[in-house]
Amino acid sequence: VAEGLADPEVVAVADEPADGASRVADLRAAATQARADADAAGAALGSVLDRTERAEAAATHVHAASTALATADADAGPVTRMARLAGGADADNAKALSLATYVLVRRFEDVVAAANDRLREMSDGRYELERSDEKEDVRSRRTGLAMRVVDHTTGSARDPRTLSGGETFYVSLCLALGMADVVTAEAGGVELGTLFIDEGFGTLDPHTLDAVLGELGRLRAGGRVVGVVSHVEALKQAVAERIEVRRRADGSSTLTVVAG
C-alpha cells in the first residue's frame, strides 16, 4: 500500500487543490470560449470565402473588359490618329494646324494670289502679299492665317501694320476683290456682282487714286456694279453717275442724282 501511495501520479493527484468543482468550472468556461472562438473563426472563414468568390468574379469581368478595351483601342487607332492629326494635336502635324485652319490656309493662299494680280498694278510693282505662318503681333504663336507684305523696293517683308493709311486702303481693297474672285470661281456660277466701297479714297495720293479708279473702272466694264461713298472732290470728275448729298445750313440735306 505504501508503495502504491508513493507512485508519482498518485502523488501528483494528491498535490492538486481539493476544490475540484472550481477546476471543472474553469474547464467548462474554457470550452465555451473555445466554441465561441471556433464559431467566430467559421464566420470569418465564410466571409473570406465569399469575398474571394466575388473578387474572382470581378477579376474575370475586369479581364474581359480589359481585353475588349484593347480590341476597341486597336480598332479605333487609325480614327483616333486621324482625329488628332485633324485637330492639330498629332506629332506628325508639325505646324499644329487644325483641319479647318488648313482648309482656310489653302483658300487664303488663293485669295492672296488673286489680290496680288491687282496689288502689283496699284502699287506700281512695289508691293506683293504673302501668307505667313507667324501671327503679326505675336511672333511665337503660329497660326497659318497671317500675312506679310513683300516690299520689292527694299527686298524685305513687312508687317501689314507698317503700311500707311493709303497703302492699307488699297491693299485691303485688293484682298476684298481677290476674295470675290475666289468665291465666284468656286461657287458654281454664283457671282458677287455688286461692290460698295465706303471712304478711304482721301488717304490716296493722286497717282494711286488714278490706279485704284482704273481698276474699279475695269470691274465696272466687266459687268459689276461698283458703289463708292466718299467726300473726295476729285471723284466727282471720275464718277459719271452719282448721288450727291449736301447739308443745308438749317441741318437738313439735299439729294441730287447726276447721270453721265
Side-chain angles (χ1 to χ4, degrees), residues 243-257:
I243 300 174
E244 297 180 354
V245 179
R246 298 183 182 277
R247 183 185 298 275
R248 291 175 173 174
D250 60 0
S252 61
S253 299
T254 63
L255 185 147
T256 305
V257 178

Side-chain angles (χ1 to χ4, degrees), residues 68-176:
L69 176 61
T71 302
D73 185 62
D75 293 341
V79 178
T80 302
R81 182 176 179 278
M82 183 60 69
R84 289 177 56 81
L85 183 65
D90 194 87
D92 292 337
N93 192 333
K95 295 183 178 181
L97 295 178
S98 67
L99 179 60
T101 302
Y102 175 79
V103 173
L104 289 176
V105 166
R106 300 280 74 81
R107 287 296 173 264
F108 186 44
E109 290 177 345
D110 295 338
V111 171
V112 169
N116 281 331
D117 292 338
R118 295 183 173 89
L119 181 58
R120 281 187 288 267
E121 182 172 349
M122 288 189 187
S123 64
D124 290 330
R126 178 179 181 181
Y127 293 130
E128 187 174 354
L129 302 176
E130 65 176 14
R131 187 186 64 79
S132 173
D133 287 327
E134 296 183 359
K135 190 175 181 180
E136 288 91 345
D137 56 348
V138 182
R139 289 184 175 274
S140 61
R141 179 184 294 177
R142 305 177 72 84
T143 65
L145 294 174
M147 184 177 63
R148 308 290 289 176
V149 179
V150 178
D151 189 338
H152 292 294
T153 301
T154 61
S156 60
R158 297 169 50 183
D159 191 308
R161 294 176 300 172
T162 64
L163 296 174
S164 66
E167 292 169 339
T168 300
F169 170 73
Y170 66 72
V171 167
S172 300
L173 177 61
C174 290
L175 281 170

